[in-house]
């Protein structure tokens, strides 16, 4: 059985803990029954001997599997990872989502996408990465009474994501700690209006509106201060065809959305200025998690 | 020449200073050239001898007209008003919008809806009433660099607005003053996510999502405390078929959205409990301002 989950970019500027979308970089795990427990790992994270993120997978998988099945079965897990670790591209959410889904699939128990999202809240209280990881596309989500409420919109093929991955992370913990405790009414209303307009722009495919709508006043500035080059990444991107240019999750990756025909030029402009960062184009993903038996 | 503008309900719960929609109660003014300046007023406000809101119309009209035309022409203004005054249904925005549009129309000068919105910002800095008044339908708007950026979605005929108009106003000024100066991160993120989800629900016509998405934490509670019956209006509405039930602008009107088939029952339930309030059903408006020569 094989489970794969896409990378995700959350917040999208003003949509703090709310908006996200799925990018077609996938983490895949192949699970087969085996006499002994074993793990292999290729791709992102494979140079880390602690296999930290994979242990998180195994722990969550085992937790659910023991509740679903009373068989004492051992498994071989073969991981093939494309999502960079600790760069704000949803690698933790991908692990959580794929581990839960794998346990249900291997245990032979049905699991709706809605239930998968609700179960994932135990491990990740914000819905902005887990929702696009499960559903694909652009998603708007909130949590109410332990349930994820969301709306999804597919993304068209003529748009590309240009991801700019710095050579070092911003700690999610430090990044959250750097945010103010309180916001004034103007900044609050600013983000309410921009996140709503950005949502309407995605829903109505009004891409020219992204530029005005993707501005944020409540988190990006505070987080980007920890890696000031990011202000220049954003400036260069917006001057060279990016329809929007936002911090991916809590960073350090920068997410840029462009028309297909502008992708090549934007990559070359960014690469010229940030030769030490990994910069490439990706398709969007509209499927979310895939489980193949 | 006749200009008419619809009533509007702004905020729609979480969409503080951002979301609004147009309701088919219209203020109309008929303007004819005349030897002497004269004004007649029928409908809402006609019992007020000061004609306060009409003076606002004449002042704004004159301001613009004198810049557009160098003729020393006098006019007869015949107002026919359906929008209640000072109840949070956009009567001021309707006056501003219709006065500017009338001056341009009478002066024979073209005026796009976008320019009309931008000009209206001189008199009303928030875009949440003026945008649906001009465009009709459901609108998401923000102001950036003296320009209104907005997206509109038409509302279908099988939805109705049930408006509950209390027998007294909440002062807009007091209502704004009652709001906190600062919001914590949780309440800010709550409104960002709910306003965005509400936007997605309107854009995708996912009416069942309105109930979860229309919750607010940043303004309604503080304003409703000034007229505590409103908490009961909301409770009764949500228990009797309202898909959403929100304070209209800064009040005192309560706006409820229902499927057509639930309108009659909701009105009767509300009327039984609030016999001193004016309660009735309206269609939504998808046209916004209308100028007929």
């Amino acid at each position: 059985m094989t489970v794969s989950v896409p990378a995700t970019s959350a917040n999208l500027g003003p949509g703090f803990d709310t908006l996200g979308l799925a990018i077609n970089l996938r983490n895949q795990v192949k699970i087969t029954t085996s006499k002994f427990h074993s793990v292999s790992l290729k791709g992102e994270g494979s140079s880390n001997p602690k296999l930290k993120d994979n242990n998180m997978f195994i722990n969550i998988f085992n937790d659910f599997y023991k509740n679903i099945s009373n068989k004492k079965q051992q498994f071989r897990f073969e991981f093939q990872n494309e999502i960079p670790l600790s760069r704000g591209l949803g690698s933790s959410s991908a692990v959580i989502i794929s581990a839960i889904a794998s346990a249900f699939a291997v245990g032979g128990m049905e699991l709706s996408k809605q239930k998968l999202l609700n179960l994932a809240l135990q491990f990740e209280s914000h819905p902005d990465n887990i929702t696009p990881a499960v559903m694909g596309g652009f998603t708007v989500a909130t949590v109410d009474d332990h349930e994820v409420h969301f709306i999804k919109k597919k993304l068209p093929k003529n748009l590309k994501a240009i991801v700019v991955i710095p050579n070092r992370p911003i700690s999610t913990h430090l990044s959250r700690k750097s945010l103010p405790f309180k916001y004034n009414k103007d900044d609050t209303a600013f983000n309410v209006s921009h996140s709503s307009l950005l949502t309407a722009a995605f829903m109505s495919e009004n891409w020219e509106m992204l530029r005005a709508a993707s501005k944020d006043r409540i988190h990006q500035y505070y987080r980007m201060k920890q890696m000031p080059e990011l202000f220049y990444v954003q400036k260069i991107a917006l001057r060279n065809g990016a329809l929007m240019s936002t911090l991916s999750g809590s960073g350090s990756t920068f997410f840029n959305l462009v028309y297909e025909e502008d992708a090549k030029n934007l990559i070359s402009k960014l690469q010229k200025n940030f030769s030490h960062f990994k910069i490439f184009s990706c398709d969007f993903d509209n499927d979310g998690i895939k489980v193949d038996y």
Side-chain angles (χ1 to χ4, degrees), chain A residues 97-111:
Chain A
I97 291 300
S98 56
I100 299 172
S102 297
F104 276 77
V106 168
M109 196 179 236
E110 280 226 31
L111 177 68

Side-chain angles (χ1 to χ4, degrees), chain A residues 9-15 19-21 138 155 159-162 194 198-199 201-202 206-215 220 233-234 236-248 254-259 266 270 284:
Chain A
S9 183
N11 293 330
L12 304 178
L19 305 183
L21 48 74
F138 163 83
L155 291 159
L159 295 180
K160 301 291 168 193
I162 308 296
H194 284 72
L198 191 64
T199 299
F202 273 100
N206 183 341
W207 311 120
E208 298 301 321
M209 189 62 82
L210 298 183
R211 194 177 278 265
S214 58
K215 292 177 185 169
Q220 286 189 151
V233 170
Q234 188 177 43
I236 290 171
L238 290 173
R239 282 188 184 162
N240 288 282
L243 294 161
M244 61 184 282
S245 180
T246 55
L247 191 67
S248 191
F254 236 77
F255 163 77
N256 305 286
L257 192 148
V258 289
Y259 293 123
L266 178 55
L270 287 166
F284 290 104

Side-chain angles (χ1 to χ4, degrees), chain A residues 8-274:
Chain A
T8 48
S9 183
N11 293 330
L12 304 178
F16 189 63
D17 289 351
T18 301
L19 305 183
L21 48 74
I23 292 171
N24 199 20
L25 288 174
R26 302 185 80 92
N27 278 6
Q28 181 185 292
V29 57
K30 187 176 168 193
I31 304 176
T32 42
T33 55
S34 163
K35 282 194 184 157
F36 308 99
H37 170 83
S38 73
V39 172
S40 79
L41 170 60
K42 287 180 187 162
E44 295 288 337
S46 59
S47 59
N48 179 352
K50 290 189 182 172
L51 293 171
K52 195 175 129 255
D53 275 63
N54 288 322
N55 285 338
M56 182 177 158
F57 180 101
I58 305 285
N59 290 339
I60 297 175
F61 177 91
N62 285 340
D63 262 14
F64 281 92
Y65 185 71
K66 72 167 187 247
N67 285 320
I68 290 165
S69 171
N70 46 18
K71 285 190 212 158
K72 283 240 173 262
Q73 179 64 60
Q74 295 294 334
F75 299 101
R76 169 159 178 76
F77 299 91
E78 293 168 72
F79 296 97
Q80 192 134 17
N81 291 344
E82 293 179 349
I83 310 176
L85 298 171
S86 314
R87 289 295 190 285
L89 284 167
S91 61
S92 303
S93 290
V95 167
I96 293 163
I97 291 300
S98 56
I100 299 172
S102 297
F104 276 77
V106 168
M109 196 179 236
E110 280 226 31
L111 177 68
S112 69
K113 287 193 164 188
Q114 178 70 61
K115 193 170 170 204
L116 172 55
L117 282 173
N118 298 349
L119 290 173
L121 291 176
Q122 297 170 42
F123 306 96
E124 170 57 61
S125 60
H126 303 292
D128 48 343
N129 283 109
I130 58 173
T131 310
V134 168
M135 302 307 301
F138 163 83
T139 60
V140 192
T142 193
V143 176
D144 196 10
D145 203 17
H146 309 289
E147 193 168 337
V148 178
H149 297 265
F150 69 91
I151 288 177
K152 169 194 171 180
K153 176 77 166 70
K154 287 189 179 184
L155 291 159
K157 284 201 193 306
N158 66 330
L159 295 180
K160 301 291 168 193
I162 308 296
V163 291
V164 178
I165 307 178
N167 52 355
R168 57 199 193 280
I170 297 178
S171 138
T172 305
H173 177 65
L174 269 184
S175 185
R176 274 208 174 255
K177 262 179 55 181
S178 70
L179 300 181
F181 289 113
K182 297 252 183 184
Y183 296 101
N184 67 35
K185 203 156 49 193
D186 280 354
D187 288 348
T188 301
F190 184 96
N191 268 59
V192 165
S193 71
H194 284 72
S195 181
S196 302
L197 190 62
L198 191 64
T199 299
F202 273 100
M203 298 299 292
S204 61
E205 307 201 347
N206 183 341
W207 311 120
E208 298 301 321
M209 189 62 82
L210 298 183
R211 194 177 278 265
S214 58
K215 292 177 185 169
D216 158 71
R217 281 198 197 158
I218 70 180
H219 72 103
Q220 286 189 151
Y221 171 77
Y222 306 101
R223 288 167 163 168
M224 287 161 70
K225 272 199 301 188
Q226 295 179 54
M227 199 182 278
E229 306 102 294
L230 296 176
F231 291 103
Y232 296 99
V233 170
Q234 188 177 43
K235 205 177 213 175
I236 290 171
L238 290 173
R239 282 188 184 162
N240 288 282
L243 294 161
M244 61 184 282
S245 180
T246 55
L247 191 67
S248 191
S250 52
S252 57
T253 294
F254 236 77
F255 163 77
N256 305 286
L257 192 148
V258 289
Y259 293 123
E260 189 169 23
E261 58 266 33
D262 297 329
K264 213 172 148 186
N265 174 53
L266 178 55
I267 291 172
S268 94
K269 286 284 185 345
L270 287 166
Q271 200 69 77
K272 210 168 79 185
N273 286 277
F274 303 97

